[in-house]
Amino acid sequence: MTRAPTSSILRRRANVCLIIVFLGLLWMPTLDTFLHFDHSDPPGEKRQPPEFPKIKPGLGGLKEFIAGLDAYFNDHFGCRKSLIRVYRTGRSRLFNDRKGYRSVVIGSDGWFYYTEDQMVEHYRGILLFTPDQLHDWQTLLEHQRDWLGQRGIKFVFVVVPDKHSIYPEYLPSWMKKVGSETKLSQFFAYMKAHSTVDVLDLRQTLKEARQLAPT
Amino acid sequence: MSLVFYAWGQIDFILLLLASTLMNYGLGLWVDRSENPANRKLAVAVAVSINIGLLAVFKYADFVVSLLNSALNLAGLAPVHAPHVPLPIGISFFTFHALSYVIDVYRRKWKATTNPRDVALYIFFFPQLIAGPILRWSSIGPQLVQRTVSRDVFADGIRRFVGGLAKKVLIANTVALPADQIFSLPANELSTPDAWFGILCYTLQIYFDFSGYSDMAVGMGKMFGFTFMENFNFPYLAQSIRDFWRRWHISLSTWFRDYLYFPLGGNRVSEGRTYLNLMVVFFLCGLWHGANLTFVVWGLYHGFFLVLERTRIGKMQEQLPRPFRHFYTILAVMMGWVIFRANTFGAAGNYFHALFLPGHLPAAQPLARYVTNETLCAIAFGILFSGPLWSWIKTRYAKLAQALPAPDRPVVLVPASVFEILLIVILLLASSAWLAGGTYNPFIYFRF
């Protein structure tokens, strides 16, 4: 009887080890679901995790149930807390990135700025109103002011400024303004020149208030 | 299990697809049991018509109506109103599997099964259901009768699966974010550096995403004892567009070759007819990828290069030094991806303008916004692993071990095995962590 070459035996042993390790890792989340051995800190998400969905009749109900189950699973699968911790620690230690997030950019001193809804483009002054759009805003606000006025209600229009405008010094260096105008400055200038609607510009007040309470 | 997997993604059409599977099962038996050639032809014609008809209705009806309305609009006529038809996920893969079933039975490559569950498993088998590779009945049929699951094959399946998962999650998803952000920029914000960085990211994204899914499918197939066709063979190393299509989405290109190009006469006809056949095949190949004229033009663009490479220009190209041939191919492929990725011709035109005509754009988005350490790392690994680096390392190491006397080999082989297992564990954990913690995981096959 000939003996199998050493390399084949080693390969076979390595394969058995690999299978055991892989299946072990694959079962970890399921085991954690029942045994709760993942004691990592919760990821600190400021939202309520979805509850287990209820089954409702009909195809629509079934679709809703599947979507609900998907959302429930995504927030409750085993070892999630550890995996998120590995992701956060790994990403910050390996790459030390301040960019590459879909919804925020990270400025200096760990300041976060929202980037969805074209906030960056608004701040940089890339997106501006057309004269027609400004006129539409005027018409809309005057209509609302008059409608409320007929009912004895005073109308004041307030735009809450974005964090980018009030704390621009912490923005990443690449976020430079294209010009001096933004949609908001256009809006205030237009309303001041063309309308009697009370519009409240909080930007200067908030900037001054920073000296009293910086953040 | 495969049905649950499909229903989890989209339950609306599950009954329709099951009915279609049953129909194909019946038509397969009809084709198989008919001795009369005319009957067999009729049966396969019915099967092809119904399958293509379903694909046409669900995938292309909206597209045809929009084209028709554009033409009516030009002629000053009222548009046609047709109800919107939602697209069942993976219908293109589903249809091509079904067609392969009846055509392979017709060609007597493998017999029709008497068990409808076998047809359902062949078509719905979850690892390949939504992103391929496209299976052939002649290959899967015999495996349904007899397949073996061994420890070694299972372990190989794990290696392929984890490698594919890492390609998808760690490389493709990382470069997908800047690619998507840059491709959505309006013309006045898209600078030349942005555009080149965007197309580099997309070129890596589409390869690592698609080949990652294919690796996962091949790996899971192995774990269940199936051998699937390989779908990619380092396509970005191709020396010509012809070579590219021997390496890219092989299961699709060979499907078109065997079920369309050869029946049309392939290259055994006149030169002009061969060119026409190529253009027809690539027109349909483009259309297969999505119901949009940009996909059609992308297909024709590749068809044009394939025709060109059959002419004297192709002969001249073959004489060029290897780096030039590679540069030509990768550039042609990348420009093709611009057409493929852009949603409209206007967007593609703007992108080409940004790529080749640099100008002063005050509103341009700074490249620094998109270049991150993680993206650069993914790009570096992406470029390195676009070639057979891993298999080269393994081969060299195996040769090194073979050169040693047999009793000494464990000194080299044991650390290598331990390292490989550790690497697989790290890749699996990192991919799982990136999936759990990351928020960007695009699925780019919803139009297929």
Side-chain angles (χ1 to χ4, degrees):
Chain A
M1 189 176 154
T2 53
R3 207 178 143 190
T6 316
S7 52
S8 315
I9 294 171
L10 283 173
R11 185 80 182 156
R12 245 178 276 157
R13 283 179 190 160
N15 284 343
V16 171
C17 287
L18 178 61
I19 292 168
I20 292 169
V21 168
F22 177 74
L23 292 180
L25 287 173
L26 215 57
W27 275 95
M28 290 283 266
T30 311
L31 290 175
D32 179 52
T33 305
F34 297 105
L35 304 176
H36 306 291
F37 50 74
D38 179 6
H39 298 299
S40 300
D41 292 332
E45 292 156 320
K46 292 182 177 169
R47 62 185 173 85
Q48 284 296 318
E51 288 181 5
F52 195 83
K54 292 190 175 100
I55 300 177
K56 293 173 192 166
L59 181 65
L62 192 57
K63 280 166 76 172
E64 220 175 278
F65 176 75
I66 292 171
L69 197 58
D70 196 55
Y72 177 82
F73 178 78
N74 285 340
D75 268 3
H76 291 89
F77 63 85
C79 300
R80 180 172 181 265
K81 289 181 287 183
S82 284
L83 286 170
I84 290 178
R85 193 168 55 83
V86 169
Y87 170 74
R88 287 181 179 171
T89 318
R91 203 167 177 223
S92 75
R93 286 200 184 155
L94 282 173
F95 305 113
N96 191 27
D97 267 333
R98 293 188 171 278
K99 292 170 280 182
Y101 297 91
R102 192 170 50 159
S103 306
V104 290
V105 288
I106 306 177
S108 52
D109 293 345
W111 277 62
F112 279 49
Y113 293 90
Y114 186 56
T115 57
E116 297 271 305
D117 303 317
Q118 299 185 301
M119 294 296 282
V120 175
E121 289 71 22
H122 284 134
Y123 170 76
R124 294 187 64 212
I126 293 170
L127 300 176
L128 295 173
F129 281 129
T130 62
D132 282 351
Q133 286 172 325
L134 287 165
H135 181 70
D136 288 347
W137 270 105
Q138 180 195 353
T139 312
L140 175 78
L141 295 179
E142 284 176 355
H143 177 76
Q144 289 180 344
R145 190 254 332 255
D146 296 345
W147 188 86
L148 289 165
Q150 284 162 12
R151 287 154 183 79
I153 303 168
K154 185 170 169 56
F155 179 70
V156 179
F157 186 72
V158 184
V159 180
V160 180
D162 55 358
K163 188 174 171 182
H164 310 56
S165 312
I166 307 302
Y167 298 98
E169 66 273 31
Y170 299 107
L171 282 167
S173 57
W174 57 263
M175 210 187 289
K176 300 260 192 310
K177 278 181 175 288
V178 170
S180 57
E181 273 200 320
T182 63
K183 270 188 168 181
L184 200 57
S185 65
Q186 272 185 304
F187 170 78
F188 284 125
Y190 184 89
M191 291 301 284
K192 198 174 174 185
H194 297 90
S195 178
T196 51
V197 173
D198 287 327
V199 288
L200 197 55
D201 185 355
L202 294 175
R203 289 175 297 175
Q204 196 51 39
T205 314
L206 283 174
K207 278 181 186 169
E208 285 164 11
R210 287 176 34 171
Q211 287 164 6
L212 303 172
T215 55
Chain B
M1 181 56 73
S2 295
L3 285 174
V4 171
F5 174 79
Y6 190 87
W8 191 280
Q10 191 182 42
I11 198 166
D12 310 59
F13 297 102
I14 198 97
L15 288 178
L16 176 90
L17 296 182
L18 274 174
S20 163
T21 306
L22 265 179
M23 179 203 72
N24 280 297
Y25 162 74
L27 287 167
L29 284 178
W30 181 19
V31 174
D32 200 25
R33 289 176 182 174
S34 301
E35 293 301 330
N36 182 344
N39 267 351
R40 288 167 52 73
K41 265 193 183 159
L42 175 68
V44 81
V46 169
V48 170
S49 308
I50 294 176
N51 282 304
I52 297 284
L54 276 175
L55 185 65
V57 168
F58 283 100
K59 188 164 175 177
Y60 300 108
D62 281 359
F63 174 58
V64 172
V65 169
S66 76
L67 283 182
L68 183 67
N69 282 340
S70 300
L72 290 172
N73 187 34
L74 281 176
L77 299 169
V80 174
H81 293 287
H84 167 66
V85 185
L87 179 69
I89 296 175
I91 189 158
S92 300
F93 289 106
F94 181 94
T95 306
F96 273 37
H97 284 145
L99 286 172
S100 163
Y101 177 69
V102 284
I103 296 172
D104 282 2
V105 170
Y106 171 75
R107 291 177 176 174
R108 302 269 189 229
K109 289 196 162 184
W110 190 251
K111 58 186 182 296
T113 176
T114 51
N115 188 346
R117 277 200 317 184
D118 285 349
V119 185
L121 179 59
Y122 160 63
I123 292 179
F124 276 94
F125 191 36
F126 75 93
Q128 48 73 46
L129 181 59
I130 50 168
I134 299 167
L135 306 180
R136 306 284 185 90
W137 176 245
S138 52
S139 158
I140 298 299
Q143 297 184 53
L144 285 168
V145 178
Q146 190 179 21
R147 65 179 195 277
T148 46
V149 183
S150 71
R151 270 181 305 204
D152 291 350
V153 174
F154 193 92
D156 271 346
I158 293 171
R159 290 183 184 95
R160 285 299 294 271
F161 174 79
V162 175
L165 183 68
K167 279 164 91 173
K168 157 72 184 154
V169 177
L170 302 179
I171 296 183
N173 281 2
T174 305
V175 291
L177 183 61
D180 287 352
Q181 287 174 327
I182 290 172
F183 267 90
S184 65
L185 289 178
N188 67 323
E189 295 176 31
L190 182 64
S191 69
T192 300
D194 289 344
W196 280 103
F197 188 70
I199 192 58
L200 171 66
C201 287
Y202 185 68
T203 301
L204 290 171
Q205 183 202 350
I206 193 162
Y207 171 56
F208 279 89
D209 201 292
F210 205 170
S211 69
Y213 266 113
S214 289
D215 286 346
M216 284 191 272
V218 171
M220 277 194 275
K222 279 176 186 274
M223 290 185 218
F224 287 101
F226 287 97
T227 304
F228 291 171
M229 184 180 210
E230 289 296 338
N231 218 12
F232 292 89
N233 181 24
F234 306 109
Y236 292 155
L237 296 185
Q239 301 289 305
S240 65
I241 296 297
R242 200 175 174 181
D243 187 20
F244 174 77
W245 280 101
R246 289 193 197 112
R247 294 162 173 269
W248 178 272
H249 204 173
I250 300 164
S251 65
L252 178 73
S253 52
T254 53
W255 196 100
F256 272 112
R257 184 195 66 196
D258 295 343
Y259 297 108
L260 184 65
Y261 184 64
F262 286 165
L264 285 172
N267 54 4
R268 294 182 177 179
V269 286
S270 68
E271 205 172 34
R273 182 66 199 271
T274 303
Y275 296 163
L276 181 68
N277 288 347
L278 276 171
M279 293 307 279
V280 168
V281 166
F282 274 85
F283 165 79
L284 291 171
C285 175
L287 199 58
W288 181 90
H289 285 83
N292 193 331
L293 279 178
T294 50
F295 290 114
V296 173
V297 169
W298 172 78
L300 292 173
Y301 168 87
H302 275 271
F304 167 75
F305 275 103
L306 285 164
V307 169
L308 201 68
E309 287 176 6
R310 284 177 172 269
T311 65
R312 203 177 298 164
I313 296 171
K315 301 271 186 305
M316 283 159 58
Q317 188 264 341
E318 282 172 15
Q319 306 302 318
L320 290 172
R322 196 183 163 96
F324 286 98
R325 294 203 304 270
H326 185 238
F327 178 74
Y328 144 75
T329 309
I330 198 75
L331 190 66
V333 168
M334 285 172 84
M335 294 310 107
W337 291 142
V338 173
I339 306 167
F340 188 89
R341 177 61 179 76
N343 291 323
T344 61
F345 291 119
N350 288 336
Y351 209 95
F352 282 124
H353 187 275
L355 282 172
F356 296 107
L357 297 169
H360 177 65
L361 297 173
Q365 292 287 357
L367 182 60
R369 182 177 180 183
Y370 308 107
V371 181
T372 66
N373 295 337
E374 191 180 8
T375 312
L376 289 176
C377 195
I379 290 172
F381 275 100
I383 292 171
L384 276 176
F385 286 94
S386 289
L389 179 68
W390 184 242
S391 54
W392 181 81
I393 292 171
K394 284 180 88 168
T395 311
R396 297 284 296 182
Y397 208 82
K399 276 185 184 166
L400 182 76
Q402 282 298 320
L404 293 173
D408 295 341
R409 282 179 200 156
V411 177
V412 180
L413 290 174
V414 170
S417 298
V418 172
F419 173 75
E420 192 191 42
I421 293 173
L422 270 177
L423 185 67
I424 288 171
V425 169
I426 290 168
L427 288 178
L428 182 60
L429 281 178
S431 303
S432 307
W434 256 244
L435 274 177
T439 52
Y440 205 60
N441 184 21
F443 181 70
I444 59 177
Y445 312 99
F446 61 93
R447 286 196 278 204
F448 284 17

